[in-house]
Amino acid sequence: MIRHTMIALALGWAGTACAQGLPGPDQSIVILETVAGRGEACGLLAPWQADGLRAMMEMEMAGWDNARRAEVAAAAAERAGRTPCEDEFLNTYIDAAGQNMETELLPPYLIAYRVFAKMDTPPAVFRQTALRLDHSDILTAIDTKLAELEASGRPPEGGKPWPDFIALTETRVAGLMESFDGDASGERYSADQAAAMIAQSVLITHSWYEGEAGE
């Protein structure tokens, strides 16, 4: 999908992670995991927001070996253990990032889900992750949400008009399908990367929809 400003915020504040001995990129993951875990546990983040942050983390950690991931996980667990819900850094980060989550983090996943759900033959990973025969209620909610965002006057990532942003995102979704077909045109992803992005679109969209339905 798209590299979001939340990563940039984490990199900018990496020096505050207090993860001694870890390089900046690793410290940014410590921050994101702490924010995702404590933010959700403290009711400062919706589940879909925490899932979205972790999806970005996985993109950043592509190719990391288990030893590096374990070191970062231990540092994140230590930081989370000393981060109360009223922690100034936690709340400041979420306040800053939260302004972008609905316009930058969520829409690409909703758009991707809509594209796959409307295909005559969706990719198997979509069907096997979504586990639904009927997507109509979710598609209606997605259409409503995208219309609300456009009406709000808040621009999507990149500042393009919403119709242009949606069309561009749909083109990128087609690029994921080309990865399965072995087409080297457009953005290039491995089949594993494409499958992961499709699964993430299901996970995050369902998490968001369940939150909307529960309101």
Side-chain angles (χ1 to χ4, degrees):
M1 296 294 177
I2 298 171
R3 180 182 174 89
H4 302 287
T5 55
M6 277 66 80
I7 290 288
L9 283 170
L11 287 169
W13 283 329
T16 70
C18 298
Q20 187 175 7
L22 292 181
D26 297 51
Q27 290 189 24
S28 72
I29 299 301
V30 171
I31 291 173
L32 288 173
E33 174 56 32
T34 302
V35 170
R38 295 300 294 149
E40 184 175 6
C42 295
L44 302 172
L45 289 175
W48 72 260
Q49 293 173 316
D51 289 341
L53 290 177
R54 290 193 172 105
M56 286 192 296
M57 288 165 48
E58 286 300 326
M59 292 174 65
E60 293 297 306
M61 293 188 291
W64 288 21
D65 60 30
N66 285 338
R68 185 180 180 186
R69 293 173 71 100
E71 185 177 13
V72 168
E78 188 277 331
R79 182 173 173 87
R82 55 182 172 80
T83 302
C85 293
E86 62 273 15
D87 180 76
E88 182 179 359
F89 175 84
L90 176 68
N91 284 270
T92 298
Y93 184 97
I94 289 175
D95 286 345
Q99 299 173 21
N100 302 310
M101 286 189 175
E102 277 204 338
T103 54
E104 296 187 14
L105 180 62
L106 181 62
Y109 293 112
L110 300 185
I111 295 165
Y113 188 100
R114 185 172 66 177
V115 169
F116 295 129
K118 288 186 173 183
M119 287 180 175
D120 289 337
T121 307
V125 65
F126 177 82
R127 287 178 165 171
Q128 293 168 4
T129 308
L131 300 176
R132 295 173 67 101
L133 292 175
D134 183 6
H135 302 273
S136 58
D137 53 348
I138 297 181
L139 292 176
T140 297
I142 290 172
D143 290 344
T144 299
K145 185 62 176 181
L146 293 176
E148 288 176 354
L149 288 171
E150 183 173 3
S152 74
R154 291 180 292 166
E157 185 174 31
K160 293 179 179 292
W162 278 99
D164 294 346
F165 172 79
I166 290 170
L168 176 61
T169 303
E170 290 173 342
T171 298
R172 288 177 170 173
V173 173
L176 296 183
M177 298 306 298
E178 291 168 0
S179 298
F180 288 120
D181 296 336
D183 189 328
S185 63
E187 293 193 55
R188 302 173 67 174
Y189 303 99
S190 69
D192 281 349
Q193 288 173 320
M197 291 178 182
I198 293 169
Q200 286 172 357
S201 76
V202 173
L203 172 68
I204 292 168
T205 297
H206 281 192
S207 181
W208 165 81
Y209 177 72
E210 289 165 6
E212 292 287 295
E215 290 183 352

